[in-house]
Amino acid sequence: MIQIEVTYYAMLRERRGLSAESIQTEAASLGALYDDLAGEFGLPNKRQHLKVAVNDQFVSWDSSFAPGDRITFIPPVSGG
Amino acid sequence: MFALSDRPLLEHPLVQSLADPAAGALVTFEGRVRQQNQGRAVTRLEYEGAELLAANEFKSIEAEASQRFDITQLHCVHRTGMLEIGEIAVWMGVLAPHRGPAFDACRYVIDELKKRLPIWKKEYYADGDSGWINAP
């Protein structure tokens, strides 16, 4: 079990009801972590539409993570 | 260089400071809030962004643009918060020795920015509805 920080933006933030939280997890990858959170909090379950970042750098869903990392799930973007 | 700002963009230091004696061309682009989208009347927009991640990703786009086009400086600022119709949502300026690469780089960067930067737009409609664009 490790502790990480998860940050949410836009529709994910609204769905979760907060911008950031500390979480204890046993998930082995970012994909597994998202699936756990999606199941628990009713986030969109189609992970193929999302991206993920660790400590402000985009990474792949099968990346691992370390205690204290800041993990950000990125819904489809619409800037400009 | 890239920044998010919750203030009118033309007041931003990145807009004010774009200058280079070696550059004979400046191409700027403004993306503005328009009053309709896909047939629906829009009353205002709300933007939010992940600033550090956006700045990191913009550095990659800037490096790509510098490799492809002969440019000397590139500044971009994107608004956050609530915007009214006609306000500037994104401002970009490209300096280059000559106009051709300045135009080409400006087009490249705004296209990549819209695809890649972690920034989200919520539209508020005249009928009272609202929604995030591209929501899964």
Side-chain angles (χ1 to χ4, degrees), chain B residues 58-128:
Chain B
F58 190 85
K59 273 183 205 153
S60 299
I61 296 172
E62 188 171 0
E64 293 159 18
S66 296
Q67 197 161 33
R68 287 166 189 240
F69 311 106
D70 181 17
I71 59 174
T72 64
Q73 268 191 61
L74 169 60
H75 286 183
C76 179
V77 199
H78 200 296
R79 269 296 293 274
T80 56
M82 207 64 88
L83 278 76
E84 305 296 326
I85 305 301
E87 281 198 271
I88 303 171
V90 58
W91 183 95
M92 192 172 66
V94 184
L95 284 168
H98 304 286
R99 67 187 182 282
F103 277 113
D104 293 344
C106 190
R107 179 62 190 260
Y108 176 80
V109 172
I110 189 64
D111 287 352
E112 293 301 309
L113 178 154
K114 289 176 77 84
K115 281 187 280 194
R116 293 161 57 179
L117 254 53
I119 296 169
W120 299 273
K121 168 166 59 182
K122 188 177 194 175
E123 290 183 338
Y124 291 78
Y125 303 105
D127 61 13

Side-chain angles (χ1 to χ4, degrees), chain A residues 8-11 13-15 44 46 49-51 53 55-58 70 72-80, chain B residues 47-50 52-53 56-57 78 89-90 113-122 132-136:
Chain A
Y8 303 98
Y9 288 93
M11 67 288 287
R13 173 178 55 71
E14 290 187 350
R15 197 76 70 90
K46 290 181 183 162
H49 297 310
L50 308 179
K51 291 183 177 176
N55 300 332
D56 303 309
Q57 299 285 350
F58 285 111
R70 188 172 58 262
T72 309
F73 298 113
I74 306 292
V77 301
S78 50
Chain B
Y47 283 97
E48 77 179 64
L52 291 174
L53 181 58
N56 285 336
E57 187 67 7
H78 200 296
V90 58
L113 178 154
K114 289 176 77 84
K115 281 187 280 194
R116 293 161 57 179
L117 254 53
I119 296 169
W120 299 273
K121 168 166 59 182
K122 188 177 194 175
W132 294 98
I133 304 306
N134 296 340

